[in-house]
């Protein structure tokens, strides 16, 4: 059985990732592929319980290092119980956020030592790495406006513009450092334009159609 493909969606707040993820999943399923759509933090019952802890409460409820460890506890459970078994049976996995969000939010934004994060990636994820990462780029002012219009402000949305600018830069650094894995998507266009850019990246890199 050939291993499935693993695609992750990354970017700051309000970049339209979730809408685009749904559209991509529909297109892949229309081709007859088995697709597992999932998200982080969360995606398995244990990881969803950790999500509740880490996303709710005051902005300073957890330090960046504690957040990093909580994200990796959730991620390990999600990888062990959902992602790795799906890839092993040949399914495609499309995940809303993954390890790059920890690099950007807890690392670039929060100041966690990149060496700690790199070591967690190596020890906790092992072979389970994305084949393709779509990084949705949008100016933080626009993204935060969209996220606030959506309602239900969460811990990371309340951290202020400077934090979100660092996040954006953190994601751009990842895209530049790993161009073979990452495709940068301009998320400022219309939903249909962004969908076309997503499809073209997926088809170019993973030859689906
Ligand atoms: P979202 O589901 O709206 O994208 O919210 C998830 C939030 O969790 C978002 O603010 C980013 C944050 N997050 C991290 O800070 N680190 C991580 O590793 C992940 C996966 C998410």
């Amino acid at each position: 059985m050939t291993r499935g493909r693993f695609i992750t969606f990354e970017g700051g707040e309000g970049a339209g990732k979730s809408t685009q993820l749904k559209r991509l999943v529909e297109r892949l399923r229309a081709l007859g592929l088995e697709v597992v759509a999932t998200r982080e933090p969360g995606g398995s019952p244990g990881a969803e319980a950790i999500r509740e802890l880490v996303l709710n409460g005051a902005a300073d409820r957890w330090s960046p290092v504690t957040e990093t460890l909580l994200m990796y506890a959730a991620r390990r459970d999600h990888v062990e119980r959902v992602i790795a078994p799906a890839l092993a049976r040949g399914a495609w996995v499309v995940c809303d956020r993954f390890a790059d969000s920890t690099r950007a939010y807890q690392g670039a934004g929060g100041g966690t030592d990149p060496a700690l994060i790199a070591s967690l990636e190596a020890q906790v994820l092992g072979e389970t790495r994305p084949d393709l990462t779509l990084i949705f780029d949008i100016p933080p002012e626009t993204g935060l406006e969209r996220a606030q219009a959506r309602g239900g402000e969460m811990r990371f949305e309340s951290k202020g513009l400077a934090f979100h600018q660092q996040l954006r830069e953190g994601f751009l650094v990842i895209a530049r450092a790993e161009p073979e894995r990452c495709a940068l998507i301009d998320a400022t266009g219309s939903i249909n334009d962004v969908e076309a850019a997503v499809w073209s990246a997926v088809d170019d890199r993973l030859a689906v159609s």
Side-chain angles (χ1 to χ4, degrees):
M1 167 73 59
T2 343
R3 176 186 176 276
R5 298 304 192 107
F6 183 19
I7 303 174
T8 56
F9 280 48
E10 297 279 9
E13 310 292 326
K17 284 182 292 94
S18 308
T19 308
Q20 293 298 335
L21 188 141
K22 283 195 200 100
R23 291 194 174 200
L24 176 64
V25 167
E26 278 164 21
R27 284 179 90 150
L28 293 171
R29 284 186 180 147
L31 295 173
L33 295 164
E34 184 199 343
V35 184
V36 173
T38 187
R39 67 164 181 187
E40 288 209 347
S44 62
E48 288 290 334
I50 297 172
R51 179 185 177 97
E52 291 296 312
L53 281 176
V54 80
L55 294 191
N56 296 316
D60 64 355
R61 182 180 185 188
W62 308 106
S63 78
V65 171
T66 310
E67 276 168 16
T68 301
L69 298 171
L70 287 168
M71 293 296 178
Y72 266 90
R75 186 161 297 134
R76 175 69 188 205
D77 192 65
H78 187 209
V79 165
E80 277 178 7
R81 292 168 195 257
V82 176
I83 299 176
L87 293 172
R89 69 172 183 268
W92 286 48
V93 176
V94 184
C95 190
D96 194 344
R97 300 194 180 282
F98 193 64
D100 297 312
S101 280
T102 309
R103 290 196 206 171
Y105 280 77
Q106 283 67 48
T112 301
D113 184 351
L116 171 65
I117 297 175
S119 148
L120 287 165
E121 284 185 18
Q123 302 289 326
V124 175
L125 299 182
E127 303 282 285
T128 310
R129 306 297 181 107
D131 299 295
L132 172 63
T133 297
L134 303 169
I135 297 187
F136 288 74
D137 183 55
I138 193 166
E141 295 85 347
T142 319
L144 283 172
E145 236 168 65
R146 286 195 197 168
Q148 271 145 18
R150 183 181 67 195
E153 183 173 285
M154 299 217 267
R155 282 186 62 236
F156 295 100
E157 285 165 23
S158 63
K159 284 200 179 205
L161 198 55
F163 175 82
H164 292 278
Q165 270 150 353
Q166 283 167 336
L167 272 186
R168 183 187 197 189
E169 192 47 43
F171 281 118
L172 292 174
V173 165
I174 296 169
R176 281 196 292 268
E178 294 180 63
E180 60 303 316
R181 171 174 69 89
C182 300
L184 196 62
I185 304 287
D186 176 359
T188 57
S190 72
I191 293 181
N192 288 342
D193 288 349
V194 178
E195 180 183 352
V198 166
W199 186 251
S200 124
V202 171
D203 202 20
D204 281 358
R205 311 280 185 119
L206 303 179
V208 265
S209 61

